[in-house]
Amino acid sequence: MPKIVDHDERKQHIAEAVVQVIARVGFDRMTMRELAAELGYAHGAVVRYFPNKQALLTASFLNLYNRADERIRCAVEGRRGFDALEAMCREILPLGTNGRMAARVVLAFWARASQDDEILAVHFENNKRWRELMHTCLLQAREDGMIREDIDIDIATAELAARNAGWQMQACLMADVTPDAVIEEALMRHIDSLRKRRASRTVGQ
Amino acid sequence: MPKIVDHDERKQHIAEAVVQVIARVGFDRMTMRELAAELGYAHGAVVRYFPNKQALLTASFLNLYNRADERIRCAVEGRRGFDALEAMCREILPLGTNGRMAARVVLAFWARASQDDEILAVHFENNKRWRELMHTCLLQAREDGMIREDIDIDIATAELAARNAGWQMQACLMADVTPDAVIEEALMRHIDSLRKRRASRTVGQ
C-alpha cells in the first residue's frame, strides 16, 4: 500500500520546526536545503509546500501567532479587566526560552512585512485582533471601576501594543539587560500605572 | 589637474541617500547597481566603500543614529528631568515623514542585528548610550522631586527603551492606526504617569 501523507500535518510540522532553525542560524543564513535535511524531508517535499524562504517565514510567524492566540484564549478564560490583560500580555511578551526564540522570528518577519504589502496586510489583521482584545479588557476595567478616570482607552491600547512589540526587540537585541524579571516587573508596573489609586478611592468613600 | 574626491563625504552621501531607497523599494529588493545609478555613481564607486548590502544597511543605520544623537544633544541642551526626557523621546520616536522613513531602515537593521553578533554589538552600544541618557533624566526628575516615589528608575528606563522601539514597529506596520498625534499623545501620557501627583504633593505640604 502506498504511504498516505497528511499534507496539512506535514506543512504544520515544517512551519513549527523552522522557528528553531531561524532562531539558531538566522533567517538570512538559513537555506531551504539545510532545513529539509534537518527535518528529514527531501528538498522537493519542503518546496512543494513553501516555494521560497519568505513563504516559510510567513508560515512560521502565523504558526507562532496562532499558538499564542490559543494560549491567550486559555489564559483569559474566566478572567476580565486587568487580570485578563495581564494574562494576555504574558503570552505575547518574549518570556522564557520559547519566547526569546519566537522573538527572533518576529523581528525577521517585521522586516519582511515592512517591504511587502500582502504580508503587511496579514500582520495588520492579526495585530488588530489582539488590539481589540486589549481594548475589551480596558473597557471591562472601566466598567468595574478599576481604571483611572483620566485614562484614554484608545491611547492606552496603542501604548500596550507598542510596548508588547518593543519588548520583542529588547529581548532579542538587548538580551543582556533584559532578563525575564525585568520584562515581568515592567508589565506589572505598567498595568499598575493604569489602576485607580487606592488613595483616591479612600478619598472618594 | 585630477579631480580630488573627498572619500568621507562621498561615503556619508551614500549612507544618507540609501535611507530613501530602502524606504521606497525595501531593503530586500534594493540592488547595489540601482542604488549607484540613482546616486549618479559608478557601481564600483559604491562597492569601494560598501562591499555589500549589509554594510550599506549598517552604515545607513549608524548615519540615522548619529543624526538622531546630534538632534537629541541640541534638544536636551539647557533642559533636565522630564523636559529633557520628552525632548529626547521626540527625536527618537518615528514622527513625521522622516521619522517614518527612518523606521523602515530601523526594522531592516534589527532583523540583521538579530543574526550577526558584530552588528548586534554595534546596536547594543548605541542603544545603551541612549538608555544612560534616559536614566540620567529620570535621576534628575528624582533630584528635583518631580517623579513618583514608587518609580524604579532602572525599570522605568527599560520601559522607555522598549516603548521607543515598539513605536518604530507600530509606525511602520500599523501606520493606519498610528498617526503622529497618537504617538505624541501616548508619549505625554506615559511621562505623566511617572510624575508625582499634584494631589499627593498637596498632602505632603
Side-chain angles (χ1 to χ4, degrees):
Chain A
M1 254 174 61
K3 213 161 62 171
I4 294 164
V5 174
D6 183 330
H7 291 296
D8 283 344
E9 199 181 284
R10 186 176 270 192
K11 217 174 151 177
Q12 178 85 351
H13 176 217
I14 297 170
E16 271 172 35
V18 77
V19 172
Q20 279 141 57
V21 181
I22 291 176
R24 203 181 61 242
V25 306
F27 178 69
D28 290 349
R29 266 190 290 270
M30 179 185 83
T31 70
M32 299 283 275
R33 210 165 283 279
E34 273 173 342
L35 177 77
E38 184 151 333
L39 299 182
Y41 293 137
H43 178 236
V46 174
V47 174
R48 178 192 176 139
Y49 303 113
F50 303 104
N52 52 48
K53 278 174 68 178
Q54 276 70 33
L56 253 174
L57 179 60
T58 303
S60 163
F61 175 82
L62 287 179
N63 183 268
L64 285 174
Y65 181 87
N66 290 333
R67 276 162 57 186
D69 220 27
E70 275 169 38
R71 292 198 313 270
I72 289 170
R73 228 170 296 175
C74 292
V76 303
E77 177 88 29
R79 289 194 168 93
R80 56 182 277 126
F82 288 132
D83 286 347
L85 185 65
E86 185 195 325
M88 179 185 181
C89 290
R90 279 184 182 277
E91 298 304 335
I92 295 172
L93 289 167
L95 295 165
T97 315
N98 284 340
R100 274 157 208 273
M101 212 151 70
R104 296 196 74 182
V105 176
V106 167
L107 255 60
F109 182 80
W110 286 349
R112 180 81 202 122
S114 77
Q115 301 178 51
D116 183 313
D117 287 345
E118 218 171 297
I119 313 274
L120 186 70
V122 169
H123 178 269
F124 188 86
E125 283 314 311
N126 283 333
N127 202 291
K128 228 177 100 194
R129 251 183 295 141
W130 280 358
R131 278 186 178 226
E132 281 158 9
L133 187 50
M134 293 190 276
H135 197 266
T136 301
C137 294
L138 292 174
L139 280 180
Q140 290 168 346
R142 173 140 293 164
E143 280 166 28
D144 300 344
M146 300 293 280
I147 197 169
R148 269 172 40 209
E149 264 135 44
D150 60 329
I151 296 291
D152 177 308
I153 288 190
D154 289 338
I155 298 287
T157 303
E159 176 78 28
L160 281 161
R163 75 182 296 288
N164 282 344
W167 286 107
Q168 306 286 330
M169 177 283 221
Q170 299 291 325
C172 227
L173 305 188
M174 305 297 290
D176 287 356
V177 291
T178 314
D180 280 7
V182 167
I183 302 175
E184 288 178 316
E185 178 73 19
L187 172 64
M188 299 311 293
R189 285 174 178 270
H190 181 69
I191 292 180
D192 265 350
S193 77
L194 303 172
R195 280 184 215 275
K196 205 178 266 186
R197 297 303 174 102
R198 295 260 162 93
S200 61
R201 244 189 288 166
T202 313
V203 169
Q205 270 166 2
Chain B
M1 253 174 63
K3 213 159 62 171
I4 295 164
V5 174
D6 183 332
H7 291 295
D8 284 344
E9 198 182 284
R10 186 176 271 191
K11 219 175 150 177
Q12 177 84 352
H13 177 217
I14 297 170
E16 270 172 36
V18 77
V19 172
Q20 279 141 58
V21 181
I22 291 177
R24 201 179 62 242
V25 307
F27 178 69
D28 290 348
R29 266 190 290 271
M30 180 185 83
T31 70
M32 299 283 274
R33 210 164 282 280
E34 272 173 345
L35 177 77
E38 185 152 332
L39 299 181
Y41 292 136
H43 178 236
V46 173
V47 173
R48 178 192 176 141
Y49 303 114
F50 304 104
N52 53 47
K53 278 175 68 178
Q54 276 72 31
L56 253 174
L57 178 59
T58 304
S60 163
F61 175 83
L62 287 179
N63 182 269
L64 285 173
Y65 181 87
N66 290 334
R67 276 162 59 185
D69 220 27
E70 275 169 39
R71 292 198 313 271
I72 288 169
R73 227 170 296 175
C74 292
V76 302
E77 176 88 28
R79 289 193 168 93
R80 58 183 274 128
F82 288 132
D83 286 348
L85 185 65
E86 185 195 325
M88 179 186 182
C89 290
R90 280 185 182 277
E91 298 304 335
I92 295 172
L93 288 167
L95 296 165
T97 315
N98 285 339
R100 275 157 208 274
M101 214 151 69
R104 296 195 73 182
V105 176
V106 168
L107 255 59
F109 183 79
W110 286 349
R112 179 81 202 122
S114 76
Q115 301 177 51
D116 184 314
D117 286 346
E118 216 171 299
I119 312 275
L120 186 70
V122 168
H123 178 269
F124 188 85
E125 284 314 310
N126 283 333
N127 202 291
K128 228 177 97 193
R129 250 183 295 141
W130 280 358
R131 278 187 179 226
E132 281 158 10
L133 187 50
M134 293 190 277
H135 197 266
T136 301
C137 294
L138 292 174
L139 280 180
Q140 290 168 345
R142 173 139 294 164
E143 281 166 27
D144 299 346
M146 300 293 280
I147 198 169
R148 269 172 38 209
E149 265 135 42
D150 61 330
I151 295 292
D152 177 308
I153 288 189
D154 289 338
I155 298 286
T157 303
E159 176 78 29
L160 280 160
R163 74 182 297 288
N164 281 344
W167 285 107
Q168 306 286 330
M169 177 284 220
Q170 299 290 324
C172 226
L173 303 188
M174 306 297 290
D176 287 357
V177 291
T178 314
D180 280 5
V182 167
I183 303 175
E184 290 178 314
E185 178 72 19
L187 172 64
M188 299 310 292
R189 285 174 176 269
H190 181 69
I191 292 179
D192 266 350
S193 77
L194 303 172
R195 282 185 214 275
K196 204 177 266 186
R197 297 304 174 101
R198 295 262 162 92
S200 61
R201 244 187 290 166
T202 314
V203 169
Q205 271 165 2

